[in-house]
Amino acid sequence: MSIAVIGAGVVGLATTSELLARGMDVTCFERGAPMGERSVGESRIFRYAHQVPDLVEAARHARLLFGDWEKAAGQDLIEAVGTVVSGDDVHGWADAMTEAGAEHFLVGPGSAQLRLPTSITAQHSLIDPAGGVIRVDRIRELLTDRCRDAIRSEHVHGLEAGPEGVTVHTSHSSHRYDQVVLAAGAATGPLAAQVGLYTPLALHHHARFTFPLRATAPIGPPAWITTSASGLPTYQHSSTPGHWAVGLELGPEAIGWTVGRDAALAALEAATLDYVRAELELVEPRIVDRVYCTPYDGLADGIHYRRRGGVLAVYGENLMKFAPLIGRDCADAVINVSIPSSLGHAQ
Ligand SMILES: Cc1cc2nc3c(=O)[nH]c(=O)nc-3n(C[C@H](O)[C@H](O)[C@H](O)COP(=O)(O)OP(=O)(O)OC[C@H]3O[C@@H](n4cnc5c(N)ncnc54)[C@H](O)[C@@H]3O)c2cc1C
């Protein structure tokens, strides 16, 4: 069976790596730098904490598989010293974790277990002790090394499905494959549409900014999901020693696609700086790094798969924490010509 994976983000590379490990004939097409779009940057948040038990379970599976990657890499890929979720809806998250049998506990505002860059005012915070920070830079090194010989630097412009397989048209050539895994991140929608598959098309602008920490005492847990005093959803974590990365959500009038990248970035930068100045006393309001990407409109946590004939498309948000699970499930689905169904999110 000949297989093409389109996109060398973390999802495409995890899939390619798994297929190579099973001795399959696989080519991974990438138009830019591997893990240079949505998988760019040095860190992400890992958590068991999710709002539905299926995803808690998926995170548990993914953590086991990250363990295999850690053995191969010879170093930790997740620095697991906990993730905190604060806010009114933490009980829903706690219920999902209880149902999935994942360790967690709730603490109040004065808890000595919370050493975050500000004092917590939320009535309840959920501590997910096995959460933490994903070292994306190490994953990039591991996966690009494993997949090096399979990656082809070509921009895929077209897909054509027929009875004999799927033809992949690139900037350089056209090749026919028995199976194609479409893992092109923000570009999945337009390619999927060419073979009659619907996946989300609408995107918006997003950016996460990194700041120096003023804290001299260690921060912990190092990852935190909360809502600002003005009601903006935020996620934040210790990205590298002495640094704190913060992302927040704004409405479509500020970050919608038609607003344009520059205007959206300016709005996000201003809002994030305002938030840091107003609410994070242990963070210096000085931006030292920025990660920009284009997420889908309206998608929350979750992994989604669609198949038509020889093309399997995979998409979703916050996929880094599930990457080894997605790679394994996509490889199974390619070999069995099926759709991954372990999460109940297959469509
Ligand atoms: C700021 C930020 C914070 C995040 N926080 C978290 C978090 O805390 N926890 C978490 O789990 N996840 C988080 N995520 C999300 C996670 O990083 C992404 O879901 C994941 O990296 C997506 O990987 P991917 O492989 O699907 O997409 P991508 O990494 O975008 O990979 C797609 C690849 O396809 C290539 N490509 C596209 N079109 C073509 C084409 N036509 N031909 C050839 N190649 C093509 C692109 O160049 C790209 O390399 C965050 C993302 C960002 C940006």
Side-chain angles (χ1 to χ4, degrees):
M1 184 189 282
S2 60
I3 304 155
V5 174
I6 300 175
V10 74
V11 169
L13 289 179
T15 304
T16 302
S17 160
E18 187 70 22
L19 288 165
L20 288 170
R22 299 182 196 195
M24 304 303 288
D25 169 17
V26 54
T27 302
C28 177
F29 291 96
E30 172 54 54
R31 65 181 174 185
M35 290 180 64
E37 291 202 3
R38 286 178 173 171
S39 306
V40 76
E42 75 298 308
S43 57
R44 296 287 189 273
I45 297 174
F46 179 81
R47 54 190 158 90
Y48 286 88
H50 284 88
Q51 286 163 306
V52 289
D54 271 359
L55 291 176
V56 182
E57 193 55 38
R60 196 206 306 274
H61 284 163
R63 184 66 189 93
L64 288 172
L65 297 169
F66 269 119
D68 295 341
W69 284 8
E70 286 176 327
K71 273 187 212 132
Q75 57 184 344
D76 289 347
L77 300 179
I78 298 178
E79 289 169 357
V81 269
T83 294
V84 182
V85 182
S86 303
D88 294 340
D89 56 351
V90 294
H91 295 285
W93 297 62
D95 289 347
M97 293 185 82
T98 303
E99 196 173 326
E103 186 189 359
H104 64 283
F105 44 96
L106 295 175
V107 295
S111 169
Q113 303 197 54
L114 299 175
R115 287 169 284 105
L116 290 162
T118 184
S119 40
I120 305 272
T121 52
Q123 197 57 29
H124 296 287
S125 292
L126 176 146
I127 297 189
D128 167 7
V133 176
I134 306 174
R135 301 268 47 123
V136 174
D137 41 3
R138 296 177 193 168
I139 292 174
R140 185 177 299 109
E141 192 183 323
L142 174 76
L143 294 181
T144 50
D145 190 49
R146 281 182 165 187
C147 301
R148 191 172 311 283
D149 293 340
I151 298 174
R152 196 176 290 179
S153 296
E154 293 181 32
H155 191 142
V156 174
H157 293 298
L159 293 179
E160 257 179 302
E164 298 299 313
V166 185
T167 304
V168 175
H169 300 284
T170 78
S171 41
H172 295 62
S173 56
S174 296
H175 297 281
R176 195 196 62 74
Y177 295 90
D178 297 313
Q179 294 279 317
V180 168
V181 178
L182 189 44
T188 292
L191 287 170
Q194 294 182 15
V195 288
L197 265 178
Y198 171 74
T199 68
L201 290 160
L203 304 171
H204 60 271
H205 305 276
H206 177 67
R208 181 186 90 189
F209 300 92
T210 303
F211 303 87
L213 271 168
R214 296 190 222 267
T216 45
I219 294 288
W224 186 29
I225 293 169
T226 191
T227 304
S228 75
S230 54
L232 301 176
T234 82
Y235 63 89
Q236 36 201 303
H237 66 276
S238 168
S239 51
T240 52
H243 291 99
W244 194 249
V246 182
L248 54 73
E249 296 295 329
L250 293 175
E253 68 293 344
I255 58 166
W257 193 248
T258 52
V259 168
R261 176 186 160 123
D262 291 348
L265 273 174
L268 284 162
E269 181 174 317
T272 311
L273 274 165
D274 282 351
Y275 167 67
V276 168
R277 281 194 196 98
E279 298 191 39
L280 300 183
E281 56 266 30
L282 295 185
V283 176
E284 198 182 316
R286 179 167 61 85
I287 293 170
V288 295
D289 193 21
R290 179 181 84 187
V291 171
Y292 166 83
C293 68
T294 53
Y296 299 113
D297 280 357
L299 270 195
D301 270 331
I303 312 165
H304 305 268
Y305 299 100
R306 289 200 154 218
R307 178 184 273 284
R308 183 155 191 178
V311 180
L312 174 70
V314 51
Y315 64 93
E317 286 301 341
N318 291 329
L319 299 183
M320 187 67 74
K321 56 187 150 71
F322 299 124
L325 177 68
I326 299 174
R328 188 203 62 184
D329 286 353
C330 282
D332 284 345
V334 163
I335 291 164
N336 302 327
V337 195
S338 61
I339 300 186
S341 57
S342 57
L343 291 173
H345 283 277
Q347 294 167 299

